[in-house]
Amino acid sequence: MNKITQLFNIKYPIIQGGMIWNSGYKLASAVSNAGGLGLIGAGSMYPEVLREHIQKCKKATDKPFGVNIPMLYPNIEEIMNIVVDEGVKIVFTSAGNPKTWTSFLKSKGITVVHVVSSSVFALKAQEAGVDAVVAEGFEAGGHNGREETTTLTLIPMVKEKIQIPLIAAGGIATGRGMLAAMILGADGVQVGSRFAASVESSSHNNFKETIVNIKEGETHLTLKELAPVRLIKNKFYHDVQSLYKKSPSKEDLMQLLGRARAKKGMFEGDLEEGELEIGQISGLIHEILPAEQIIREMIADFEIACAEKAKFEF
Ligand SMILES: Cc1cc2nc3c(=O)[nH]c(=O)nc-3n(C[C@H](O)[C@H](O)[C@H](O)COP(=O)(O)O)c2cc1C
């Protein structure tokens, strides 16, 4: 038992990060059934689609699972009400102010975790009353902080500031990565990219194949003027970089981005025109695997790495 396994009543302190267009009920329930904590990613779901995924998840697992809610969407109130209505017990909020919804969710008996990318916001989340914080470093896939603080530096700095349980995210796909984060002060880890390339991920196979073939250095954090996001360097990414050479306004960037780029890339499999979000650790992901195997291998690797302590003696 550690703080995270206790908080969520799970076997392993491994959380599958909520991921737009990737983490529906199939992935979330597979992770929960394997002893981790699966999260349904509400960010790419209309409210009624989210309700359906929650209901299917309840049928697919009797283990705890949660919902990730990026707070920047207009129908946020409806989403929150659905989560309460469906009896969801764990909510991870991101992309917004933790003060806005934490007390409402807590008043409904929900365990609340907030995702941050700096120690200043970690402290704000703690003050807002959340039960734990996810500190996500610059390496991570998806939307990210502007400051480019790496997981290696972020975790100990957040640990210095907060007393509540700490979950590390960004660049973790192996048991060794998990051990490293825990030695730095994390109580558990949130893993995104590794699960995006899982059998149960709802993303298009073109996207999954791209993840397992990608090499070190082929992602970049861009679009900082809008919402910073780490992207695979495909045609759309290069179009963005070409536009940057012309000193574009925010509106120019928004116009190029248009609507539904992430859906086009990750869900519909358009590798040229779509937005493909993935983390730096994708360079270490070589196979599309079932979620259960990902967790089993992470734990085995974690245990081997723990047993290698003698190797570090000098
Ligand atoms: C494809 C993709 C989509 C993501 N979507 C979300 C999201 O909707 N909400 C969120 O809070 N984080 C999102 N993330 C971040 C993950 O939840 C997780 O924190 C991150 O992937 C961890 O870093 P890693 O990719 O290095 O494992 C996304 C990440 C990826 C790769």
Side-chain angles (χ1 to χ4, degrees):
M1 272 280 185
N2 86 345
K3 284 184 195 168
I4 290 300
T5 56
Q6 217 165 351
L7 180 64
F8 301 126
N9 192 23
I10 53 176
K11 192 166 176 198
Y12 305 122
I14 300 176
I15 292 123
Q16 161 256 306
M19 292 180 285
I20 54 164
W21 302 115
N22 285 265
S23 63
Y25 82 94
K26 281 189 187 154
L27 179 57
S29 60
V31 169
S32 290
N33 283 333
L37 182 73
L39 300 182
I40 296 173
S44 49
M45 297 178 183
Y46 289 116
E48 284 315 310
V49 174
L50 173 64
R51 189 189 291 280
E52 207 182 302
H53 276 262
I54 295 170
Q55 290 175 351
K56 286 183 174 167
C57 204
K58 284 192 274 195
K59 288 205 180 95
T61 184
D62 55 3
K63 302 276 192 319
F65 70 91
V67 176
N68 165 250
I69 308 181
M71 295 188 285
L72 40 75
Y73 295 105
N75 48 14
I76 186 80
E77 210 167 313
E78 211 180 333
I79 295 274
M80 292 294 181
N81 287 330
I82 286 176
V83 158
V84 172
D85 203 37
E86 290 296 330
V88 170
K89 301 278 185 301
I90 301 165
V91 168
F92 279 47
T93 53
S94 57
N97 186 340
K99 267 195 194 155
T100 323
W101 287 99
T102 300
S103 44
F104 167 79
L105 292 168
K106 295 284 304 169
S107 74
K108 305 290 178 190
I110 295 174
T111 300
V112 184
V113 180
H114 189 65
V115 185
V116 300
S117 58
S118 72
S119 51
V120 171
F121 280 99
L123 200 55
K124 284 192 176 155
Q126 178 174 272
E127 282 162 9
V130 302
D131 297 281
V133 157
V134 175
E136 190 187 64
F138 167 69
E139 300 92 323
H143 292 276
N144 209 317
R146 284 185 177 75
E147 299 83 6
E148 306 199 351
T149 311
T150 60
T151 305
L152 193 75
T153 51
L154 181 65
I155 300 309
M157 288 194 279
V158 171
K159 181 71 184 171
E160 201 175 68
K161 291 269 175 16
I162 64 165
Q163 287 76 47
I164 56 175
L166 170 59
I167 299 161
I172 301 162
T174 63
R176 274 158 216 274
M178 177 175 163
L179 179 60
M182 292 177 79
I183 284 177
L184 287 173
D187 302 294
V189 294
Q190 173 165 292
V191 174
S193 297
R194 177 57 279 199
F195 286 115
S198 68
V199 171
E200 295 87 350
S201 165
S202 56
S203 59
H204 196 284
N205 216 47
N206 290 353
F207 177 54
K208 295 185 196 180
E209 290 291 345
T210 304
I211 301 170
V212 297
N213 286 311
I214 208 169
K215 309 250 172 352
E216 181 192 328
E218 290 182 358
T219 71
H220 185 223
L221 188 73
T222 188
L223 289 170
K224 286 189 180 177
E225 297 76 2
L226 306 181
V229 62
R230 181 170 293 283
L231 296 181
I232 291 174
K233 294 175 179 173
N234 67 346
K235 178 183 175 293
F236 168 65
Y237 165 83
H238 288 295
D239 288 348
V240 172
Q241 298 317 109
S242 303
L243 184 59
Y244 271 122
K245 289 195 185 121
K246 298 176 189 154
S247 309
S249 64
K250 209 169 149 181
E251 287 67 34
D252 294 336
L253 288 167
M254 277 167 71
Q255 199 184 349
L256 173 61
L257 179 61
R259 289 181 64 82
R261 280 272 180 193
K263 181 181 184 189
K264 192 190 267 276
M266 295 189 281
F267 195 66
E268 294 169 357
D270 186 336
L271 302 178
E272 300 262 302
E273 299 298 334
E275 186 180 300
L276 306 174
E277 302 180 9
I278 208 71
Q280 288 184 333
I281 201 69
S282 51
L284 201 65
I285 300 171
H286 308 306
E287 239 183 315
I288 301 166
L289 295 173
E292 185 273 335
Q293 189 176 344
I294 292 171
I295 292 187
R296 189 163 24 91
E297 288 183 0
M298 275 188 79
I299 295 300
D301 186 39
F302 180 87
E303 281 164 2
I304 292 168
C306 285
E308 284 173 358
K309 189 171 157 277
K311 199 166 90 177
F312 306 120
E313 279 165 15
F314 49 83

